[in-house]
Amino acid sequence: MASPRSTRASAAVDRLKLRSGNAGYSMARTGDGLFFLSEKAGAPPLCAPLELDAFVAFVNGQGPQVARRVSKLDVAFEKQLVKKKPS
C-alpha cells in the first residue's frame, strides 16, 4: 500500500503529465525517502533527490501552467478592494 507521502508526490507527477501531454514522466523514491523526477523510466533525473514538499513544488513548477479561472464575482470583488481607501 502506498504511503500518503508517495501518493501526494505521484499526484503531482500525474498533474504534470496532464499539463504537459508527456506521459513518460516518472517519479522515483530513494532509500532515504527522497524523491526525484525523470522524463522517462531509466532516464537521468531532472532534479537532485528532494524532500516531499520541495519535490511537489518542483514538479508543480515544471511544464505549462494552467491559468487560474476567475469569475465575474472575483473581478468585481477585486475592483472593490482597489476602490476602498482608509479615511
Side-chain angles (χ1 to χ4, degrees):
M1 175 173 241
S3 71
R5 292 175 52 88
S6 62
T7 302
R8 184 170 162 219
S10 63
V13 173
D14 287 340
R15 288 190 304 270
L16 174 61
K17 289 178 182 181
L18 287 174
R19 284 194 321 263
S20 68
N22 180 0
Y25 281 110
S26 176
M27 170 195 80
R29 189 169 178 187
T30 65
D32 296 334
L34 302 175
F35 299 89
F36 63 89
L37 178 73
S38 59
E39 287 201 43
K40 60 182 178 179
L46 297 174
C47 63
L50 302 168
E51 291 287 334
L52 176 66
D53 292 333
F55 176 77
V56 170
F58 174 78
V59 171
N60 287 340
Q62 297 297 306
Q65 301 299 309
V66 176
R68 187 179 133 227
R69 293 179 64 182
V70 180
S71 71
K72 289 188 258 184
L73 296 175
D74 291 333
V75 172
F77 180 68
E78 288 178 12
K79 284 182 182 178
Q80 284 182 343
L81 289 176
V82 173
K83 287 182 186 176
K84 300 271 182 181
K85 296 203 178 195
S87 29

